[in-house]
């Protein structure tokens, strides 16, 4: 990314169990041994950083919190350095909503994202993937994050929202400012939210005169349970959510999957020889490299897996750490692409299950299928460096590959 | 083996992950919100026993009950 603003300094972590920091460079690079160390110490660990924050380390503790909307609120969904007053109840519904507002807000968004609705998008998705591959396949090398995985979900959600796919770089800039730079620099977050809101308001205004058949018009025409149109702020909040949640989550999942396949020829060869394994492989890659960690705010004191948690603290709700819990997943640290029993939590648990999970699965499967069809052989470029995103969403941001068989 | 299997999705637990429908499309249906319910009266036809156990083992919300009759 071109943004050069320096985030606030955090001292390096020397005690992961009592002073964890999910923005520490060591965590960003390789969080898995850190989670193992934390899990061995306690099902729930705590840090004084971020104004006080817990992290459940086991699948069971994550499940308990995800299913407990009485003690844990979704009004703040990212752990940051600051905790400003909440002024809008329509920040990004339904992901920022608690019961009872949550259910009607979510039901509005569910029908356009069912598996059947996603099937209709498949031809456009395959075309997007092939157009991207056309752009670099002759070069013999590529940054697969910058030139492939990044653009697939951006173009898919732009297609669904009815906004220009050519604005992709703008959307990517906002996401970076909100989900990464915004953790430590509130001004970046606010700037991106304002720019994004202005962008969507212009699209909403344009549709008032000329309705379309995309998701923006769908939300503008939607009615709440009393039969009234949604407030403008609700439409805007949901559009912000769809753009923010739809992009770097799946970008990260596709990137991590390609990273794995670049380093694991045996899995790559099996997926080419036995394409029917792909759906199971996608689930396993989602489990092993889950991109999304959500947050909750403790609003009422309670106990999780025997550990007391106090109101006023945040919770780093790590679905990725839950998915590496060896009590639930045998050989949790291994990628087993034909793993049959895989109750992973990559799309969350409880009422906030990811609305876009069917879209994400479809995008991942098609992105990997189309890549493997045209580029069966590839490996990490030893002259390059793989870098990973920081914070809420984990995925490769630079993924230098050499294409073709090794000489 | 004469036992009969019946499957039931608990609608209060289902959150629409749709894993059951993907793994055993013969045994589950989705509503307009993508939430699952068992097809018909939930009777598992012979030959689909494996699939129903697989669906149960992959439901993240533990919403699927398989009843042995």
């Amino acid at each position: 990314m071109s943004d050069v603003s320096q985030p606030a300094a955090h001292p390096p972590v020397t005690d992961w169990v009592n002073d964890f920091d999910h923005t520490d460079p060591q965590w960003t690079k390789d969080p898995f041994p850190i989670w193992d160390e934390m899990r061995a110490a306690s099902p729930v660990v705590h840090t004084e950083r971020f104004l006080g924050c817990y992290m459940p380390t086991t699948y069971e503790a994550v499940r308990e919190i995800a299913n407990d909307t009485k003690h844990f609120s979704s009004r703040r969904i990212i752990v940051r350095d600051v905790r400003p007053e909440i002024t809008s109840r329509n920040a990004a519904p339904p992901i920022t909503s608690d019961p009872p507002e949550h259910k009607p807000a979510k039901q509005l968004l569910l029908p356009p994202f069912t598996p059947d609705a996603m099937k209709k998008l498949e031809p456009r998705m395959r075309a997007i993937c092939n157009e991207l591959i056309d752009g670099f396949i002759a070069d013999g090398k590529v940054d697969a994050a910058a030139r492939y995985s990044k653009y697939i979900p951006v173009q898919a959600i732009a297609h669904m929202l009815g906004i220009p796919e050519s604005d992709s770089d703008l959307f990517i800039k906002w996401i970076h400012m909100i989900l990464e730079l915004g953790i430590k620099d509130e001004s970046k977050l606010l700037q991106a939210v304002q720019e994004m809101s202005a962008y969507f308001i212009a699209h909403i205004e344009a549709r008032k005169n000329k309705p379309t058949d995309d998701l923006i018009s769908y939300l503008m025409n939607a009615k709440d349970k009393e039969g009234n149109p949604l407030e403008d702020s609700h439409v805007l909040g949901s559009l912000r959510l769809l753009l923010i949640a739809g992009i770097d989550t799946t970008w990260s999942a596709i990137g991590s999957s390609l990273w794995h396949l670049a380093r694991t020829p045996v899995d790559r060869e099996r997926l080419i020889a036995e394409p029917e394994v792909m759906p199971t492989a996608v689930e396993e890659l989602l489990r092993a490299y889950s991109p999304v960690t959500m947050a909750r705010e403790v609003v009422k004191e309670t106990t999780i897996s025997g550990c007391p948690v106090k109101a006023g603290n945040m919770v780093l709700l790590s679905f990725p750490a839950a998915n590496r819990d060896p009590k639930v997943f045998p050989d949790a640290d291994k990628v087993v692409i034909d793993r049959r029993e895989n109750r992973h939590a990559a799309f969350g648990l409880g009422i906030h299950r990811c609305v876009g999970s069917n879209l994400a699965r479809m995008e991942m499967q098609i992105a990997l299928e189309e890549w493997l069809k045209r580029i069966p052989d590839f490996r990490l470029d030893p002259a390059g460096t793989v870098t990973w995103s920081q914070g809420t969403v984990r995925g490769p941001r630079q993924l230098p590959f050499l294409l073709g068989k090794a000489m | 083996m004469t036992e009969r299997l019946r499957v039931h999705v608990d609608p209060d637990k289902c959150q629409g992950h749709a894993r059951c429908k993907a793994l055993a499309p013969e045994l589950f249906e989705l509503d307009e919100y993508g939430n699952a319910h068992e097809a018909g009266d939930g009777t598992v036809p012979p030959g689909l026993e494996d699939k129903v156990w697989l669906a149960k083992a992959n439901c993240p919300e533990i919403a699927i009950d398989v009843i042995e009759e």
Side-chain angles (χ1 to χ4, degrees), chain A residues 195-395:
Chain A
E195 286 180 23
M196 185 184 283
S197 301
Y199 179 90
F200 278 126
I201 286 168
H203 278 282
I204 289 171
E205 284 304 317
R207 280 163 181 74
K208 284 185 178 163
N209 301 320
K210 205 174 161 209
T212 47
D213 63 353
D214 51 40
L215 269 179
I216 298 183
S217 285
Y218 171 86
L219 283 171
M220 289 169 68
N221 294 331
K223 301 274 193 290
D224 67 16
K225 57 180 188 290
E226 277 86 40
N228 300 313
L230 303 184
E231 291 171 36
D232 283 355
S233 65
H234 188 144
V235 174
L236 189 58
S238 289
L239 291 173
R240 280 197 297 260
L241 165 66
L242 291 176
L243 193 69
I244 296 171
I247 295 183
D248 78 342
T249 49
T250 316
W251 161 15
S252 297
I254 296 169
S256 297
S257 301
L258 288 172
W259 175 75
H260 172 81
L261 294 176
R263 298 157 65 242
T264 321
V266 61
D267 285 350
R268 201 166 71 222
E269 283 156 17
R270 182 156 179 216
L271 285 174
I272 292 167
E274 300 172 57
E276 65 277 11
V277 178
M278 183 61 86
T280 322
V282 164
E283 296 307 316
E284 176 66 347
L285 292 162
L286 278 165
R287 180 194 70 81
Y289 306 115
S290 304
V292 183
T293 294
M294 290 305 297
R296 297 286 188 269
E297 184 177 357
V298 190
V299 288
K300 208 171 160 193
E301 191 168 319
T302 186
T303 304
I304 293 296
S305 293
C307 305
V309 297
K310 291 198 165 62
N313 283 257
M314 290 296 292
V315 176
L316 196 64
L317 192 59
S318 177
F319 298 113
N323 284 343
R324 294 275 182 152
D325 184 346
K327 271 199 179 145
V328 178
F329 303 98
D331 290 325
D333 57 349
K334 291 201 179 81
V335 174
V336 182
I337 60 168
D338 59 0
R339 189 184 289 271
R340 274 171 60 85
E341 298 191 5
N342 197 346
R343 192 174 263 158
H344 70 77
F347 293 110
L349 296 169
I351 63 168
H352 288 282
R353 188 269 302 171
C354 170
V355 165
S357 61
N358 299 310
L359 172 63
R361 286 186 159 103
M362 183 268 283
E363 288 180 24
M364 276 182 79
Q365 182 159 340
I366 287 179
L368 297 180
E369 282 174 0
E370 296 306 311
W371 177 287
L372 288 176
K373 266 185 223 164
R374 297 189 60 191
I375 313 172
D377 292 300
F378 57 103
R379 60 199 188 281
L380 290 176
D381 182 351
T385 310
V386 177
T387 62
W388 298 83
S389 57
Q390 185 187 68
T392 299
V393 179
R394 175 179 164 78

Side-chain angles (χ1 to χ4, degrees), chain A residues 75-89:
Chain A
R75 59 189 189 166
R76 301 177 203 275
I77 52 163
I78 299 179
V79 171
R80 304 183 196 280
D81 272 349
V82 294
R83 234 177 276 167
E85 281 300 303
I86 290 173
T87 52
S88 168
R89 66 196 163 81

Side-chain angles (χ1 to χ4, degrees), chain A residues 59 63 67 106-107 110-111 114-115 283 340-344 347-351 353 357-358 361, chain B residues 15-19 21 23 30-35 50 53-62:
Chain A
Y59 189 94
R63 169 188 293 286
N67 284 324
K106 184 158 186 180
Q107 281 190 329
L110 288 170
T114 59
E283 296 307 316
R340 274 171 60 85
E341 298 191 5
N342 197 346
R343 192 174 263 158
H344 70 77
F347 293 110
L349 296 169
I351 63 168
R353 188 269 302 171
S357 61
N358 299 310
R361 286 186 159 103
Chain B
Q15 297 292 346
H17 293 260
R19 300 299 303 129
K21 177 72 178 170
L23 291 161
L30 303 181
D31 67 15
E32 63 174 311
Y33 301 112
N35 290 331
D50 229 28
W53 291 115
L54 195 62
K56 179 182 164 75
N58 279 277
C59 174
E61 306 294 347
I62 318 185

Side-chain angles (χ1 to χ4, degrees), chain A residues 178-197:
Chain A
I178 291 172
L179 292 180
E180 293 196 75
L181 303 177
I183 294 176
K184 295 172 182 173
D185 185 346
E186 186 75 2
S187 67
K188 292 283 169 210
L189 169 76
L190 294 174
Q191 185 196 332
V193 170
Q194 276 167 11
E195 286 180 23
M196 185 184 283
S197 301

